[in-house]
Amino acid sequence: MEIRVLRYFLAVAREQSFSVAAERLYLSQPTLSRQLKELEDELGKPLFIRSNKGVTLTEEGMMLRKRAEEIIELVGKTEQEVRQSSENISGTVYIGAGETHAVKLIADTAHKLKTDYPEIQYSFYSADGTSVLERLDKGLLDFGLIFLQPDRSKYDSIEIPLHDVWGVLMRRDEPLAQKQTLTFEDISGLDLLIPRQPNHSTMLSDIITEKAPQAHIAAEYNLIYNASVMVREGMGSAITLDKLINVSGDSELCFRPFEPCMEAVCYFIWKRYSVFTKAAKAFLGQFKKDLQSYRN
């Protein structure tokens, strides 16, 4: 299986057309068709459903597309790392993170490094902790920022001293918005939006079942901005972390923390025994210094 042919496969999957993909790739259509037929023969499975209306992927084709995208991304990352100058510290640092105010610390470190290493760039991947770990394990990320307790046998980690606080994002005209803090008993009976992340949603669902049995989970979300739009439109109130949505000034929304306080602990992690690029090594060194200064 050649990388070149995987690129051809992804082009057809993306365009859903052999002719359009061939044009994009500057190939003749017969050449492209032959290359992908050989790929199907090599794998022993059909990858495309061909019809007059275009091309769609078979179940095996959809599976290959996911893996091929990861392979091509990893190849690109590897090529970039190998081509980096042995003298200059440059290249891309790959970081995955969930939605957390702790991203501020990453941004602060990147800003400080810019003065000494202006050629360092950053690629940020936003997702839940499970997805971040998956990409970290596959070598697609250098670092991750997650709420999951890291497996010490697989990852090195630093606990972030800046903790997020759980609470409720709601409209200011809600009666409960008059309170400065909320208990789970207060939100019993409300329509709730909760984050769709394995560790968060399970924990919150258990607490809601126990302490707010009359509450109704109206929706799950994975991006708080989208949830904030739903809250603004009256779909419900969102359980979320603080400082992710601007609720200052004339905002229609407000954030009310839970009482007693519920904090979410975040970890900055990387694979044990990782061989870092010079750019990633420089970032990690500066990040550790910045965290030490923050603690002091």
Side-chain angles (χ1 to χ4, degrees):
M1 189 184 303
E2 299 181 32
I3 299 299
R4 170 178 54 83
V5 178
L6 286 181
R7 295 185 193 277
Y8 294 169
F9 166 76
L10 289 175
V12 174
R14 181 174 58 251
E15 302 296 342
Q16 297 184 330
S17 166
F18 277 87
S19 59
V20 175
E23 184 178 346
R24 298 276 193 272
L25 294 167
Y26 300 101
L27 294 172
S28 68
Q29 185 172 336
T31 298
L32 178 61
S33 297
R34 184 180 69 255
Q35 293 278 352
L36 294 181
K37 181 63 170 63
E38 290 175 358
L39 177 62
E40 289 179 312
D41 292 342
E42 178 184 350
L43 296 175
K45 296 286 184 179
L47 301 174
F48 302 102
I49 300 173
R50 300 162 172 83
S51 69
N52 294 331
K53 295 183 179 180
V55 177
T56 57
L57 295 177
T58 63
E59 183 177 346
E60 293 80 8
M62 288 186 283
M63 185 184 307
L64 179 62
R65 180 176 187 172
K66 181 178 185 299
R67 297 304 181 197
E69 288 172 343
E70 293 173 350
I71 291 169
I72 296 301
E73 185 175 352
L74 184 57
V75 167
K77 182 175 183 291
T78 303
E79 288 175 345
Q80 183 187 66
E81 291 170 355
V82 172
R83 289 171 179 167
Q84 286 177 15
S85 169
S86 60
E87 299 178 359
N88 298 326
I89 295 182
S90 61
T92 302
V93 180
Y94 295 82
I95 304 173
E99 291 187 300
T100 167
H101 184 59
V103 169
K104 172 186 182 300
L105 301 180
I106 291 176
D108 289 345
T109 294
H111 180 69
K112 288 181 181 179
L113 280 180
K114 185 177 180 180
T115 301
D116 294 329
Y117 308 116
E119 294 184 22
I120 293 180
Q121 298 178 322
Y122 299 88
S123 176
F124 289 98
Y125 173 75
S126 298
D128 60 69
T130 302
S131 298
V132 169
L133 288 176
E134 181 180 338
R135 292 178 70 83
L136 196 63
D137 289 342
K138 292 176 179 176
L140 299 174
L141 297 175
D142 296 313
F143 307 107
L145 197 60
I146 64 171
F147 290 103
L148 300 169
Q149 180 75 38
D151 181 347
R152 304 294 182 180
S153 67
K154 294 177 61 178
Y155 310 102
D156 287 320
S157 65
I158 305 172
E159 181 177 326
I160 299 297
L162 184 64
H163 293 177
D164 297 86
V165 174
W166 285 105
V168 181
L169 183 71
M170 57 175 54
R171 291 174 56 100
R172 287 188 182 276
D173 56 10
E174 286 279 355
L176 285 177
Q178 303 305 312
K179 303 184 69 172
Q180 294 304 305
T181 61
L182 298 175
T183 66
F184 272 90
E185 288 77 9
D186 289 331
I187 64 173
S188 186
L190 292 183
D191 289 328
L192 299 176
L193 288 65
I194 64 173
R196 188 175 64 247
Q197 296 189 21
N199 54 323
H200 288 346
S201 59
T202 300
M203 178 268 291
L204 292 171
S205 295
D206 289 345
I207 295 176
I208 291 169
T209 298
E210 177 186 354
K211 297 186 176 182
Q214 301 305 313
H216 171 240
I217 298 178
E220 293 182 335
Y221 68 88
N222 67 334
L223 294 174
I224 185 56
Y225 174 78
N226 290 345
S228 72
V229 174
M230 298 177 193
V231 173
R232 189 177 296 112
E233 296 304 314
M235 188 172 172
S237 299
I239 297 182
T240 185
L241 299 171
D242 63 338
K243 299 178 183 177
L244 298 181
I245 295 294
N246 185 358
V247 294
S248 62
D250 58 356
S251 172
E252 299 175 52
L253 306 180
C254 64
F255 177 85
R256 296 294 180 258
F258 284 119
E259 180 66 38
C261 181
M262 289 176 54
E263 292 186 332
V265 180
C266 196
Y267 299 89
F268 184 78
I269 70 170
W270 60 96
K271 287 180 67 175
R272 299 196 74 182
Y273 313 115
S274 289
V275 179
F276 287 128
T277 62
K278 291 185 177 181
K281 190 179 297 184
F283 180 88
L284 180 58
Q286 184 64 51
F287 190 70
K288 287 180 176 179
K289 291 179 184 178
D290 292 346
L291 285 186
Q292 189 61 42
S293 300
Y294 186 88
R295 290 188 177 97
N296 295 339

